[in-house]
């Protein structure tokens, strides 16, 4: 990127009689970065501004009698408010509410291999319904800087928490019926928007989606982009649950519960 002087439109409340506000063009000497349109870094949604506006505001935060911040310093400070899009290859599986142990949890991110999967523990879905989840870190392990454990420490200390990633889409792949009665049918996405290990930080960021009974990668778009460090895929029922509800014969229901006591999928992908 190159540096150049730009003008920013500023609204001054009550500056003219007969009007509530007026606008003026204000030259800045902050020399904000310029680049091709649409190629500026993404800014955290919580900042509620674009990249150029962010850099300009940083340059105006110095005391009135102080020297203006160097343009390079403004850009450096702005990096702390910049977010990157999710890179699928950098996503890692962290944990699950339960796991049958047949395959490593990381296999649930391999959308090319249908010989591995994630399935919840036995009896976690009563008649095909429950609440099982798998947790993924969007930024990967590289975003954590960990200080080596010393003799006086019994835990690892994070020097720098993971930076959020911009998430817009979740994809899931299942084995359809009749091969996949345990395949997830209803699910939603929860996101952790702060890095601390705090369960209260989780919030639902998608509607409750229905996964179609078909093969191939199915794509679901979030209502709005989310900046998050980690996400959970929360499964509410499997593909066999609606079928089980249609049974009227008690013996038939009892003999069919083995098809409805778990939930799972081949793999998921985040974009």
């Amino acid at each position: 990127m190159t540096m150049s002087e730009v003008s920013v439109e500023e609204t001054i409340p009550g500056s003219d009689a007969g009007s509530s506000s007026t606008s003026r063009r204000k030259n800045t000497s902050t020399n904000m970065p310029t680049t091709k349109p649409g190629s500026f870094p993404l800014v955290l949604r919580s900042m509620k501004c674009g990249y150029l506006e962010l850099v300009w505001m940083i340059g105006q935060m110095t005391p009135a009698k102080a020297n203006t911040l160097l343009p390079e310093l403004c850009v450096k400070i702005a990096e702390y408010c910049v977010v990157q899009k999710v890179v699928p290859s950098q996503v890692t599986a962290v944990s699950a509410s339960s796991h049958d142990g047949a395959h490593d949890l990381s296999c649930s991110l391999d959308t090319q291999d249908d010989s591995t999967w994630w399935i919840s523990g036995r009896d976690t879905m009563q008649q095909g319904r429950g609440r099982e989840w798998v947790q993924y870190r969007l930024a990967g392990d590289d975003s954590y800087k960990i200080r080596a454990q010393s003799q006086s420490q019994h835990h690892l200390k994070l020097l720098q928490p993971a930076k959020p990633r911009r998430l817009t889409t979740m994809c899931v792949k299942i084995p359809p019926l009749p091969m996949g009665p345990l395949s997830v049918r209803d699910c939603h996405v929860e996101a952790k928007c702060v890095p601390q290990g705090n369960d209260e930080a989780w919030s639902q960021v998608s509607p409750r989606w229905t996964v179609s009974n078909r093969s191939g990668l199915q794509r679901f778009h979030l209502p709005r982009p989310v900046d998050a460090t980690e996400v959970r895929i929360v499964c509410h029922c499997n593909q066999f649950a609606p079928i089980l509800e249609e049974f009227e014969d008690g013996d038939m229901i009892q003999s069919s519960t083995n098809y409805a006591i778990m939930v799972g999928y081949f793999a998921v992908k985040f974009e």
Side-chain angles (χ1 to χ4, degrees):
M1 290 188 292
T2 61
M3 311 298 290
S4 66
E5 185 175 79
V6 299
S7 295
V8 177
E9 185 171 305
E10 185 182 59
T11 300
I12 312 298
S15 58
D16 283 335
S19 64
S20 59
S21 66
T22 185
S23 296
R24 72 183 184 189
R25 305 294 294 183
K26 180 178 181 180
N27 289 327
T28 73
S29 58
T30 307
N31 293 337
M32 293 192 297
T34 60
T35 184
K36 295 180 179 179
S39 60
F40 289 110
L42 296 171
V43 176
L44 289 168
R45 287 176 56 84
S46 59
M47 298 302 297
K48 299 180 180 179
C49 67
Y51 182 72
L52 286 179
E53 184 180 359
L54 173 65
V55 177
W56 179 81
M57 288 191 298
I58 292 172
Q60 305 305 306
M61 292 173 64
T62 56
K65 296 183 179 180
N67 293 328
T68 304
L69 289 176
L70 292 174
E72 294 79 4
L73 183 56
C74 294
V75 172
K76 193 67 177 179
I77 295 173
E79 289 180 1
Y80 290 91
C81 301
V82 167
V83 62
Q84 297 179 5
K85 294 181 179 179
V86 172
V87 178
S89 61
Q90 294 179 357
V91 177
T92 57
V94 176
S95 61
S97 54
S98 66
H99 188 196
D100 74 340
H103 303 284
D104 190 87
L105 200 58
S106 61
C107 295
S108 65
L109 289 166
D110 188 351
T111 58
Q112 304 299 316
D113 188 356
D114 290 351
S115 65
T116 61
W117 53 79
W118 166 76
I119 293 180
S120 65
R122 189 177 179 84
D123 296 325
T124 53
M125 305 292 282
Q126 298 301 315
Q127 296 189 0
R129 298 188 180 276
R131 192 181 190 278
E132 291 295 299
W133 51 262
V134 184
Q135 184 171 328
Y136 299 94
R137 183 173 298 140
L138 298 181
D141 292 329
D142 292 340
S143 62
Y144 283 85
K145 295 182 179 179
I146 302 178
R147 185 169 62 193
Q149 187 174 9
S150 65
Q151 294 181 353
S152 61
Q153 276 187 307
H154 300 287
H155 64 279
L156 297 178
K157 182 178 180 180
L158 298 178
L159 295 183
Q160 178 176 324
K163 292 188 68 174
R165 292 291 188 267
R166 176 68 53 84
L167 175 67
T168 59
T169 306
M170 187 278 289
C171 309
V172 63
K173 188 177 185 181
I174 65 168
L177 292 169
M179 297 180 294
L182 302 180
S183 296
V184 62
R185 184 177 186 272
D186 290 353
C187 65
H188 75 263
V189 175
E190 293 180 350
K192 180 184 286 188
C193 299
V194 293
Q196 288 79 12
N198 178 4
D199 287 339
E200 295 180 358
W202 291 97
S203 58
Q204 184 171 337
V205 295
S206 80
R208 185 160 167 167
W209 291 317
T210 297
V211 181
S212 299
N213 179 38
R214 62 177 176 85
S215 59
L217 201 63
Q218 301 184 48
R219 181 170 277 103
F220 298 90
H221 299 288
L222 299 179
R224 62 184 59 84
V226 172
D227 298 333
T229 55
E230 297 182 357
V231 294
R232 285 176 177 172
I233 304 299
V234 182
C235 304
H236 295 280
C237 76
N238 58 33
Q239 294 286 336
F240 196 69
I243 299 175
L244 192 61
E245 292 173 353
E246 296 178 1
F247 291 165
E248 296 182 358
D249 188 328
D251 293 335
M252 179 68 74
I253 294 176
Q254 185 64 34
S255 64
S256 301
T257 53
N258 286 337
Y259 295 102
I261 58 177
M262 296 179 285
V263 68
Y265 46 76
F266 275 147
V268 293
K269 181 180 180 181
F270 302 97
E271 300 173 340

